[in-house]
Amino acid sequence: MQKAYEFDFVYDTQAAFRLLLEALSNPGRIVELGPLARKLGGAYAMPLTVAAVLLDNEVSFAVCGSPALAEKITELTLAKTAAVSKADYIFVTENADWQEAVQAAKCGTLRDPHKSATVILCTADLQAGKLQRISGPGIKAVQEIIMCPELQAALGKRDEQEYEYPLGLDFFVLDQRGCLMGIPRKTRIESR
Amino acid sequence: MNPEYNFAFLDEGSKREIRRSILKAVAVPGYQVPFGSRELPIGRGWGTGGIQLTLSLIGPRDVLKVIDQGSDDSVNAVNIKKFINLCSDVATTTDSTEATLIQTRHRIPEEPLRNDQLLVFQVPLPEPLRVIEPSEEATKLMHAEADYTGIWLQLYESIMKYGKVTIATEYPVTVEDRYVMNPSPIPKYDNPRLHESECLYLFGAGREKKIYAIPPHTKVVSLAFDDVPFEIEHMEGRRCRLCGAENVYFDELIDRETGAVSYQCSDTGYCSKRRLRKEADC
């Protein structure tokens, strides 16, 4: 019997989850998801790896951009698709319009802030951009990071929405080189 | 490893749900994320929340330490460690600096934890407002509205009645100026270690079906009034009878015959490491 993927859905999802956890607990830190994603292979290996860790038939997702990715995610995880405004996880492929995702995504309620969406933003290179200072839980005082223009714009749009904490959106940003960064809802870009 | 079971006992669907909840808990520090607590071959109230977190986190390359009230050798700690080892084959240790994943009941290890380590707490009662409000629906609303007057009143009444706050363990804290949180029944002595820590703290309550977290470098402040500041237990003038350590958290031992009081490090891993070092130096 030949396996469709070299990716192991027990051991590799565990290792990938620990990377997602490290990234979200330490906003701005870049972790290497690439070696695990390469085991899944294909054009959408990075977002598919995140989907393999987090998605199943208990949650819903939306894809802004590539319908092929939506098909692959359904095939891999059995998660159901939903409108952007109702999806638990929103995948935004490279060069797709992230504005709708950030504007329409559900931000939770004061009673149930965990019922908010997580946005998975795919970029070409998440380390190509401008130097920014970020702060919030997980960051010792203030940290300087290079932020790609897509994430910077998405965070700007998120801040325009003026969510009352604990409402908000959490981001994972992925790039083609296999890097991943987590930006939870409480992370803020500091003005210089 | 027992091949009859999935790696780390839980089925992958259960792990996925717990993992999703962990990420939400990290994103909203101090907020209790509800989750579908699973049945385990151990009674609820014996650390099932912590075990489910550990089983969802653990991988073959982890090194596990389990402590109960600081002790590596208590029945609860030994059996949890055995169970996790049985279904995952991970290496175990008593040295908190060697461990990548530490599951604890009611203590934070003496030696400072690093950013690459995870500390999982077993939590019996996650809701800090339960003492003033029995309804879950009502406490959820109180958290939503950040209505914490009841818990402040409880502290005030304690000061009026006894001249001080009499809560010894699970002393409530405010996380990031928003959520009042129960830090599990750790002694007040450990509360300051929650603030701006290097490592990620995860809290699991299996019976109450809640997961919450304190990420590294998060503001955690124990509740106190301007004129009655928060105080930890005083350990000055005490010395461990085994290793001679000072200024750590002690267990108090009373000799039944003579009534003599002696002290011993609550963190047994730390204590035995100090004794081994002493022996090697001699």
Side-chain angles (χ1 to χ4, degrees):
Chain A
M1 189 175 73
Q2 199 184 350
K3 282 185 177 178
Y5 309 107
E6 196 193 323
F7 189 83
D8 186 295
F9 283 82
V10 175
Y11 295 101
D12 290 334
T13 49
Q14 181 276 333
F17 168 68
R18 287 289 283 273
L19 291 174
L20 293 179
L21 182 62
E22 184 186 347
L24 203 68
S25 313
N26 301 277
R29 180 180 295 176
I30 289 169
V31 298
E32 295 283 335
L33 190 66
L36 292 166
R38 278 192 278 281
K39 291 183 176 182
L40 265 178
Y44 300 110
M46 285 292 280
L48 275 179
T49 307
V50 176
V53 176
L54 299 174
L55 271 59
D56 56 25
N57 55 1
E58 298 288 320
V59 292
S60 60
F61 75 98
V63 174
C64 298
S66 162
L69 175 60
E71 255 176 56
K72 287 257 182 205
I73 291 175
T74 308
E75 191 183 295
L76 191 73
T77 68
L78 303 178
K80 38 194 187 292
T81 53
V84 170
S85 60
K86 292 193 173 150
D88 299 311
Y89 294 89
I90 303 168
F91 292 82
V92 184
T93 54
E94 216 181 312
N95 303 322
D97 180 18
W98 49 263
Q99 297 229 19
E100 188 206 353
V102 178
Q103 263 175 341
K106 57 181 184 179
C107 60
T109 63
L110 287 173
R111 192 181 174 280
D112 292 311
H114 63 284
K115 290 183 179 170
S116 57
T118 302
V119 180
I120 295 106
L121 201 60
C122 304
T123 66
D125 183 355
L126 70 85
Q127 290 177 84
K130 273 171 61 179
L131 202 63
Q132 292 287 355
R133 287 152 59 90
I134 57 169
S135 67
I139 300 164
K140 193 172 185 178
V142 174
Q143 191 187 337
E144 284 198 333
I145 61 163
I146 295 172
M147 193 178 277
C148 63
E150 295 93 330
L151 176 61
Q152 199 181 323
L155 291 182
K157 183 56 87 183
R158 178 196 71 172
D159 293 347
E160 271 177 28
Q161 314 269 87
E162 294 192 337
Y163 299 120
E164 178 187 355
Y165 180 77
L167 274 53
L169 302 177
D170 308 313
F171 288 84
F172 283 112
V173 197
L174 321 167
D175 74 11
Q176 287 177 351
R177 298 188 308 153
C179 298
L180 177 141
M181 186 194 284
I183 300 285
R185 65 194 69 186
K186 204 135 169 42
T187 305
R188 289 282 170 270
I189 298 179
E190 293 283 312
S191 52
R192 288 182 165 267
Chain B
M1 192 172 93
N2 188 338
E4 300 288 313
Y5 293 106
N6 188 27
F7 174 79
F9 189 78
L10 294 174
D11 62 279
E12 291 305 303
S14 299
K15 286 185 199 168
R16 250 191 316 272
E17 196 225 335
I18 295 166
R19 287 169 181 167
R20 287 194 293 261
S21 303
I22 292 172
L23 293 179
K24 288 291 180 193
V26 169
V28 191
Y31 169 69
Q32 298 165 52
V33 181
F35 80 109
S37 185
R38 267 58 178 182
E39 291 291 337
L40 289 174
I42 180 173
R44 285 195 170 150
W46 287 91
T48 52
I51 295 172
Q52 287 176 80
L53 285 180
T54 299
L55 295 175
S56 305
L57 291 161
I58 207 160
R61 276 182 286 178
D62 275 311
V63 180
L64 175 74
K65 173 181 165 86
V66 183
I67 49 171
D68 174 5
Q69 302 268 15
S71 169
D72 292 274
D73 311 316
S74 82
V75 174
N76 188 256
V78 169
N79 283 302
I80 289 173
K81 196 153 50 174
K82 267 189 192 167
F83 166 63
I84 295 169
N85 179 262
L86 188 73
C87 57
S88 68
D89 263 353
V90 293
T92 58
T93 182
T94 57
D95 185 345
S96 58
T97 58
E98 276 178 13
T100 56
L101 183 55
I102 304 173
Q103 181 172 326
T104 176
R105 176 176 174 266
H106 309 180
R107 268 313 309 277
I108 296 176
E110 290 295 342
E111 290 173 281
L113 298 175
R114 303 181 306 268
N115 186 259
D116 62 339
Q117 294 178 299
L118 296 171
L119 188 64
V120 173
F121 291 82
Q122 300 169 204
V123 183
L125 297 166
E127 182 50 74
L129 305 175
R130 189 64 69 233
V131 284
I132 52 165
E133 173 53 63
S135 158
E136 171 69 11
E137 200 54 38
T139 51
K140 267 198 85 84
L141 191 64
M142 288 161 84
H143 281 295
E145 295 173 347
D147 172 10
Y148 297 123
T149 45
I151 200 146
W152 282 105
L153 190 62
Q154 191 206 16
L155 296 186
Y156 175 76
E157 283 176 348
S158 179
I159 293 166
M160 286 295 100
K161 209 166 172 184
Y162 305 106
K164 61 177 181 181
V165 178
T166 52
I167 305 168
T169 59
E170 55 188 348
Y171 191 101
V173 294
T174 304
V175 182
E176 282 292 322
D177 298 319
R178 178 58 178 83
Y179 283 103
V180 167
M181 189 198 95
N182 182 348
S184 93
I186 54 171
K188 283 194 288 186
Y189 185 87
D190 284 340
N191 271 28
R193 293 168 201 229
L194 299 171
H195 176 63
E196 289 285 337
S197 76
E198 282 294 324
C199 78
L200 168 64
Y201 295 122
L202 293 168
F203 300 78
R207 186 182 51 204
E208 304 291 322
K209 306 177 179 69
K210 295 284 172 59
I211 290 169
Y212 53 107
I214 300 177
H217 306 296
T218 296
K219 185 180 175 189
V220 181
V221 180
S222 300
L223 264 52
F225 296 99
D226 289 347
D227 53 345
V228 186
F230 171 73
E231 267 186 66
I232 61 168
E233 296 88 343
H234 296 289
M235 296 291 159
E236 293 85 13
R238 297 176 182 183
R239 208 159 182 272
C240 176
R241 67 182 185 125
L242 300 174
C243 73
E246 292 174 0
N247 295 317
V248 294
Y249 192 74
F250 292 111
D251 290 338
E252 190 179 68
L253 306 169
I254 301 170
D255 190 308
R256 272 193 200 173
E257 305 286 308
T258 63
V261 176
S262 60
Y263 299 96
Q264 193 173 308
C265 293
S266 145
D267 185 339
T268 57
Y270 173 74
C271 189
S272 60
K273 208 162 131 182
R274 275 179 58 90
R275 276 180 283 153
L276 283 173
R277 206 177 296 152
K278 253 187 187 177
E279 279 169 24
D281 288 347
C282 287

